[in-house]
Amino acid sequence: LRSMNVVHSQENGVTVFEISGRLDASTAAILDREFSKIAATGVAKIVWDFGGVSYLSSAGLRSVLQALRYVNG
């Protein structure tokens, strides 16, 4: 069973996304939804913690790159 978990928190004005599990085509939409919720608040500083990621596919990487492009304008 493929699963991924995303937890986000605020630390000193920085949003930290702590990601664990598999980030692939079947779970990338979870990250997209979580990022969209936070992006709507106008966040500008993000730290991505991939320490708990066991697998990262090109689809998962695409989600991360899209989020970075959004933040960087």
Side-chain angles (χ1 to χ4, degrees):
L1 179 57
R2 296 179 184 169
S3 66
M4 182 190 66
N5 195 31
V6 179
V7 177
H8 47 82
S9 60
Q10 290 287 326
E11 296 179 24
N12 300 320
V14 176
T15 300
V16 178
F17 277 87
E18 187 177 341
I19 305 164
S20 59
R22 294 178 58 92
L23 181 49
D24 58 21
S26 66
T27 60
I30 297 167
L31 181 60
D32 293 342
R33 277 193 305 273
E34 290 299 315
F35 176 76
S36 293
K37 289 179 197 175
I38 296 301
T41 68
V43 66
K45 296 179 183 177
I46 297 175
V47 171
W48 300 88
D49 180 353
F50 291 98
V53 173
S54 59
Y55 176 77
L56 177 62
S57 75
S58 59
L61 185 57
R62 185 189 74 235
S63 288
V64 173
L65 291 175
Q66 286 175 334
L68 292 173
R69 284 189 199 117
Y70 179 85
V71 171
N72 291 329

